[in-house]
Amino acid sequence: MNIILVCAGGMSTSILVTKMKKALAPDQLDWKIEAHPVGELSEYINEFDVVLLGPQVSHKLKGVEKEFGETGKPIAVINSLDYGMGNGDKVLRFAIDLQNNK
């Protein structure tokens, strides 16, 4: 599975990406998890299965859903507490649940 996290600039979210990668199980090590600015999502959308928005860009959720909803990919906002605490394991499980329940 490939997961993209989008935020304002892609920088703060890269810390969470690192923690999510550390939470991967051995059979998940080939998964791709990256962070990019929300404005660049159209360049990357086809490479990913799940789209997670950082809480700081949660106001863009409806626009992202409108633009990319037809892809059928789950799109959701990361829980602000999990984001702020850098809880990579919880955010990873959230992405897996979104993919499994799409």
Side-chain angles (χ1 to χ4, degrees):
M1 180 166 58
N2 298 325
I3 306 164
I4 186 168
L5 284 71
V6 293
C7 64
M11 296 304 219
S12 59
T13 307
S14 62
I15 296 166
L16 183 57
V17 166
T18 300
K19 292 185 177 192
M20 289 173 70
K21 287 180 178 180
K22 287 181 182 178
L24 291 171
D27 64 330
Q28 299 169 331
L29 293 178
D30 61 337
W31 290 12
K32 179 166 67 169
I33 306 172
E34 294 181 4
H36 294 281
V38 69
E40 296 177 5
L41 183 56
S42 62
E43 297 174 36
Y44 299 98
I45 188 75
N46 293 327
E47 301 173 36
F48 294 90
D49 306 305
V50 176
V51 178
L52 298 179
L53 282 73
Q56 69 275 39
V57 293
S58 62
H59 63 281
K60 295 194 178 265
L61 178 62
K62 288 188 190 241
V64 170
E65 288 175 331
K66 183 177 180 182
E67 187 171 353
F68 302 106
E70 292 179 356
T71 65
K73 299 172 190 224
I75 301 169
V77 175
I78 301 167
N79 176 285
S80 58
L81 186 58
D82 293 335
Y83 183 90
M85 298 292 289
N87 196 330
D89 183 56
K90 274 192 169 180
V91 176
L92 181 62
R93 281 187 273 134
F94 177 58
I96 292 168
D97 288 346
L98 285 170
Q99 178 65 15
N100 289 340
N101 295 316
K102 68 174 186 174

